[in-house]
Amino acid sequence: MSSFDIHVHHVTRVEGHGNVLVNATDGRLEEVRWEVVESPRLFEAMLRGRHYSDVQHIASRICGICSIAHSTASLHASEAALGVSVSEQTRLLRRLLFNAEILESHVLHAYCLAAPDFFGVGSVIPLIDTHKEVVVRAMTLKRLAYRIAELLAGRKTHPISCIVGGFAKLPDLEKLAEVGDALVDALDDFDATVELFKTIAVPDFERETEYVALKDPDGYAFTSGDIASSDAGIVPIDEYRSVANEFCVPHSTAKYTRNKREAYQVGALARFNLNHEQLLPRAQEAAVELGLKAPCHNPFKITVAQVVEAVHAAEDSIRLIDRLLETGVQEEPEVTEIRPGRGVGAVEAPRGTLFHEYSYDEDGILTDANCVIPTNQNHNNIQHDMEALVPAILGRPQDEIRRTLEMLVRAYDPCISCSTHLLQVRFIK
Amino acid sequence: MKPKVAFFDFTCCEGCQLDTLNIEGQDLVDLVSAVDIVEFREVLTGRADRYDIAFVEGSISRESEIPRLKEIRERADIVIELGACAHIGGVNCLKNHLAMDEALEIVYGDDAGDYDTIPARPIHAVIPVDYCVPGCPINTAELLRIVKELLLGKTPELPNYPVCVECKMAGNVCVFELGRSCLGPVTRAGCNAICVTAGRHCWGCRGLVDDPNIDSQKDVLEKYGLTVDQVVEKFKIYNTYTEVAR
């Protein structure tokens, strides 16, 4: 029997830095470890002492890929703490802005980061020569998401116009109508995306775990709702600490979490498992086409759930734009009155449930911040998936083990830069 | 031989790298066909020994990053700082206002002892660099221009006038006229005053112009009844490192 160590240092095509370590002796698994090695960012310390009008701006910089999610969670937390309420118009505009990020992030992950594994290439770049129409479609859909965000918030990466209380600038309705038309035109591209991912086979592996996501009786939740768990039912977002239970582990700069069992999963598949009945009709059809059925316990299918959610986000955006065009948008007064206090904001970032909790003093200066990041909540689950997966594939060639583990980590679409407070596979020799 | 281009990241949000993927359709295809992208961990699996151009995103904020950065310098003909974290330290330097053990304790509690962290610094504070692409995030049109100029053998230059110039051209009402403070008068242009156009003020993410007219900025503040302290608090968000160095 063979003895080997596998060490993948800084797993590629993920956001941030993480390692995978596998140590086997005589065909027996000694150790498999998921290590998060991203530099500590210390945002919670950096936010202290800042005025509420600067907090979203800084909190957005936690992550370049899900900056709209961090901005939205940050604004919700500030508003809850400061006693600021927002209008229905702001809620709709924020949901549309959020959809843009779900769309962009899922398209980026499914096409550019995960798909190269299925085509057997190292990146999306060689696909420009071999599968040009696929790359052009991905870029077109990404560009469309950027357009929505640019119209609503000035830009996609680190949105500008979203502020405590609403928006510093409202979108031009003519341009909003143009983006709505472009989304309708893009529905064919979403159909083609579903067709593409139908042809892709994912490894056959199942491990049931606890699934956690926000849930809102009014619709498939991204920017609203309470915390739902497949094991524990509903918990209000103010009690998020009782779900996340963060703890530090020595080999990781990211904190880990656990709730009712050894680990839980957040993200597109958790949301699908908990909220699939609320998907809009085209997304429901896409799930059927893609053969995704709840409950699904195969983490490799997170990417498939992302494709379904991208369809949902496009469909929901078309509806939101129609509604905004019907009602028009009105200028709203700036926030003038605030109170000191503590507040929690929660959203479903592309990678899962994201919590920001802030406390402010009477001058609107932040005195304490805590952020619980989706990828952090998945680290522990990735570790347990690896422990279940590796013994089953230990007899396979090392390259295949390495590739399968990298694909597993990538399926979670880990966003490691924001989780530190992620990816190398080290095969030890 | 097409020039070998690599992307590296240190302490940052990786938003600038991601925005390079948002260079519009044909421009991105042209760029990818004009250069050979040999390392870009976030998007591709692959490694190389030498680079004609190395883009470095992020600040240096722990000891273990320093040897990795020095190795990149040794392998690269041209090193370009990508984005505010690399160029001026950016938001990462906000932690420099705290003692490192204090910052770690706030985030990690009793387990704080295990982590390697040092005051954050821009890339040129650790290795010599050749050029920079400023901004948080970068302006992709500016990145594309700089790469084109380098490929044509030109020396890329950045605008050396303040954001106010572009802000006027964009037709914005002056933020000071609205009773708020703004860092536009001292900040290097090149962003088309995007933040003011989107309804906010300039945060200074592109760093200072070469000779910022501080006296004139003070006059502006006085005229609008604002204090230097109010502006310094805003200035610290991106320019803590510059402020300490001055």
Side-chain angles (χ1 to χ4, degrees), chain A residues 61-136:
Chain A
R61 270 74 187 166
I62 293 174
C63 178
I65 192 164
C66 51
S67 58
I68 291 174
H70 279 284
S71 292
T72 311
S74 175
L75 293 171
H76 286 184
S78 289
E79 286 159 357
L82 297 164
V84 172
S85 57
V86 299
S87 67
E88 178 69 5
Q89 171 178 303
T90 291
R91 275 192 283 274
L92 296 179
L93 288 170
R94 280 189 187 162
R95 199 166 103 203
L96 181 57
L97 179 62
F98 207 90
N99 281 345
E101 181 159 282
I102 292 289
L103 248 178
E104 194 275 340
S105 181
H106 284 359
V107 167
L108 172 75
H109 179 254
Y111 274 95
C112 302
L113 308 184
D117 284 327
F118 305 120
F119 288 104
V121 291
S123 82
V124 69
I125 293 170
L127 298 179
I128 295 173
D129 294 329
T130 58
H131 297 78
K132 193 169 181 193
E133 76 294 346
V134 171
V135 179
V136 168

Side-chain angles (χ1 to χ4, degrees), chain A residues 299-426:
Chain A
F300 290 95
K301 290 200 176 172
I302 294 170
T303 311
V304 180
Q306 289 181 330
V307 172
V308 172
E309 285 194 337
V311 176
H312 174 90
E315 209 175 346
D316 188 48
S317 299
I318 293 170
R319 292 181 178 204
L320 283 167
I321 291 172
D322 284 347
R323 199 164 150 189
L324 287 161
L325 290 174
E326 215 171 280
T327 57
V329 288
Q330 280 82 41
E331 291 287 343
E332 294 176 336
E334 271 181 53
V335 171
T336 47
E337 275 184 38
I338 55 156
R339 57 150 205 237
R342 167 191 169 272
V344 176
V347 296
E348 282 294 326
R351 287 151 198 78
T353 322
L354 166 67
F355 303 101
H356 281 219
E357 177 188 0
Y358 303 148
S359 296
Y360 284 99
D361 68 15
E362 59 278 5
D363 298 319
I365 303 294
L366 189 144
T367 55
D368 196 28
N370 187 43
C371 306
V372 179
I373 311 298
T375 296
N376 273 356
Q377 298 169 75
N378 279 333
H379 287 320
N380 203 17
N381 207 58
I382 295 173
Q383 171 73 31
H384 282 84
D385 278 351
M386 283 185 178
E387 287 169 15
L389 176 62
V390 173
I393 60 171
L394 209 52
R396 297 187 193 169
Q398 275 195 39
D399 266 1
E400 194 183 328
I401 300 174
R402 176 201 305 268
R403 208 169 48 244
T404 308
L405 290 176
E406 285 192 322
M407 281 172 72
L408 173 70
V409 170
R410 255 179 229 131
Y412 279 88
D413 192 7
C415 184
I416 304 163
S417 31
C418 63
S419 77
T420 54
H421 88 143
L422 152 241
L423 194 96
Q424 304 182 109
V425 183
R426 190 161 72 216

Side-chain angles (χ1 to χ4, degrees), chain A residues 121-392:
Chain A
V121 291
S123 82
V124 69
I125 293 170
L127 298 179
I128 295 173
D129 294 329
T130 58
H131 297 78
K132 193 169 181 193
E133 76 294 346
V134 171
V135 179
V136 168
R137 194 192 309 133
M139 292 302 153
T140 306
L141 292 175
K142 257 174 61 64
R143 183 70 213 131
L144 182 54
Y146 265 76
R147 268 178 71 188
I148 300 171
E150 284 160 10
L151 182 59
L152 264 57
R155 69 183 165 215
K156 157 78 186 69
T157 305
H158 304 320
I160 303 162
S161 313
C162 44
I163 58 171
V164 169
F167 282 80
K169 188 179 183 180
L170 293 170
D172 179 285
L173 290 183
E174 220 167 284
K175 288 188 180 149
L176 194 61
E178 284 170 22
V179 170
D181 292 343
L183 274 165
V184 172
D185 290 344
L187 288 174
D188 291 344
D189 283 336
F190 284 101
D191 290 345
T193 302
V194 170
E195 286 301 311
L196 173 70
F197 282 87
K198 249 166 85 173
T199 63
I200 279 166
V202 301
D204 189 18
F205 166 73
E206 293 206 342
R207 187 182 72 84
E208 192 190 345
T209 184
E210 180 183 357
Y211 299 92
V212 171
L214 294 179
K215 195 173 189 70
D216 185 334
D218 291 340
Y220 196 90
F222 282 112
T223 56
S224 59
D226 294 315
I227 308 164
S229 148
S230 56
D231 286 3
I234 306 279
V235 174
I237 61 166
D238 276 344
E239 294 168 29
Y240 74 100
R241 285 173 192 258
S242 75
V243 175
N245 300 304
E246 282 193 303
F247 59 99
C248 294
V249 287
H251 54 267
S252 165
T253 47
K255 294 177 186 174
Y256 280 40
T257 61
R258 63 167 92 84
N259 185 26
K260 295 297 170 196
R261 31 178 131 184
E262 68 284 355
Y264 67 88
Q265 186 188 118
V266 295
L269 189 62
R271 289 191 289 260
F272 176 82
N273 280 341
L274 289 158
N275 300 327
H276 61 99
E277 285 162 350
Q278 294 168 298
L279 287 166
L280 292 174
R282 276 180 169 269
Q284 296 271 12
E285 276 168 42
V288 171
E289 284 289 307
L290 290 159
L292 188 67
K293 283 195 204 92
C296 170
H297 301 140
N298 182 348
F300 290 95
K301 290 200 176 172
I302 294 170
T303 311
V304 180
Q306 289 181 330
V307 172
V308 172
E309 285 194 337
V311 176
H312 174 90
E315 209 175 346
D316 188 48
S317 299
I318 293 170
R319 292 181 178 204
L320 283 167
I321 291 172
D322 284 347
R323 199 164 150 189
L324 287 161
L325 290 174
E326 215 171 280
T327 57
V329 288
Q330 280 82 41
E331 291 287 343
E332 294 176 336
E334 271 181 53
V335 171
T336 47
E337 275 184 38
I338 55 156
R339 57 150 205 237
R342 167 191 169 272
V344 176
V347 296
E348 282 294 326
R351 287 151 198 78
T353 322
L354 166 67
F355 303 101
H356 281 219
E357 177 188 0
Y358 303 148
S359 296
Y360 284 99
D361 68 15
E362 59 278 5
D363 298 319
I365 303 294
L366 189 144
T367 55
D368 196 28
N370 187 43
C371 306
V372 179
I373 311 298
T375 296
N376 273 356
Q377 298 169 75
N378 279 333
H379 287 320
N380 203 17
N381 207 58
I382 295 173
Q383 171 73 31
H384 282 84
D385 278 351
M386 283 185 178
E387 287 169 15
L389 176 62
V390 173

Side-chain angles (χ1 to χ4, degrees), chain B residues 185-236:
Chain B
V186 290
T187 301
R188 187 182 302 276
C191 56
N192 299 315
I194 184 170
C195 290
V196 183
T197 304
R200 307 294 312 269
H201 56 270
C202 174
W203 306 78
C205 73
R206 294 176 55 88
L208 294 171
V209 287
D210 286 347
D211 295 300
N213 194 335
I214 302 290
D215 289 340
S216 160
Q217 169 89 1
K218 283 180 184 158
D219 291 347
V220 172
L221 293 177
E222 204 169 312
K223 179 178 165 194
Y224 292 98
L226 297 165
T227 66
V228 172
D229 282 353
Q230 281 172 307
V231 175
V232 167
E233 275 309 304
K234 291 249 180 282
F235 187 68
K236 273 183 187 170

Side-chain angles (χ1 to χ4, degrees), chain A residues 4-6 21-24 29 31-32 390 405 426-428:
Chain A
F4 60 86
D5 297 302
I6 301 174
L21 182 143
V22 179
N23 177 3
L29 179 66
E31 188 182 18
V32 51
V390 173
L405 290 176
R426 190 161 72 216
F427 288 80
I428 298 172

Side-chain angles (χ1 to χ4, degrees), chain B residues 16 56-58 80-90 132-138 205:
Chain B
C16 293
V56 180
E57 184 185 5
I80 305 181
E81 295 167 328
L82 187 70
C85 294
H87 170 217
I88 52 175
C132 71
V133 186
C136 181
I138 55 162
C205 73

